[in-house]
């Protein structure tokens, strides 16, 4: 894992789930943030397996800790960082 780069492990992809969902585990260092993006056709959920994450939806920031869950519904405001890690984290 390079500086501020996550390690992503795909657990299931659309071809395996009939296009219903994809599932991945992301392990990232403190300071990692996903780029600004929006989903026009899919929901996005975040389960924090370890560490601490800040979910950013539009102007709202929600702190998630181990065991926490966040949700970005289809068409939700552009979310950034969606995962700004305060500490090393797995989600």
């Amino acid at each position: 894992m390079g500086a501020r780069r996550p390690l992503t492990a795909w657990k299931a992809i659309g071809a395996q789930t009939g296009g219903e969902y994809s599932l991945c585990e992301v392990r990232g260092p403190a300071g990692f943030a996903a780029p600004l993006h929006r989903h026009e056709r899919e929901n996005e959920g975040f389960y924090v397996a370890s560490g601490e994450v800040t979910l950013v939806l539009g102007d709202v920031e929600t702190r998630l800790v181990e065991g926490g869950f966040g949700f970005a519904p289809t068409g939700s405001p552009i979310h950034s960082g969606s995962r700004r890690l305060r500490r090393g984290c797995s989600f």
Side-chain angles (χ1 to χ4, degrees), residues 23-89:
L23 178 67
C24 69
E25 177 182 6
V26 177
R27 292 177 182 231
F32 165 70
L36 290 169
H37 65 287
R38 172 192 304 243
H39 296 277
E40 299 296 336
R41 296 180 290 177
E42 61 273 330
N43 297 315
E44 188 171 11
F46 308 89
Y47 173 78
V48 181
S50 66
E52 183 179 325
V53 176
T54 300
L55 173 64
V56 180
L57 289 173
D59 295 332
V60 178
E61 294 190 8
T62 305
R63 180 177 168 256
L64 303 173
V65 296
E66 188 171 324
F69 181 79
F71 183 70
T74 302
S76 63
I78 291 177
H79 50 286
S80 79
S82 306
R83 315 173 263 266
R84 273 199 307 230
L85 280 53
R86 296 176 185 264
R87 307 184 296 209
C89 183

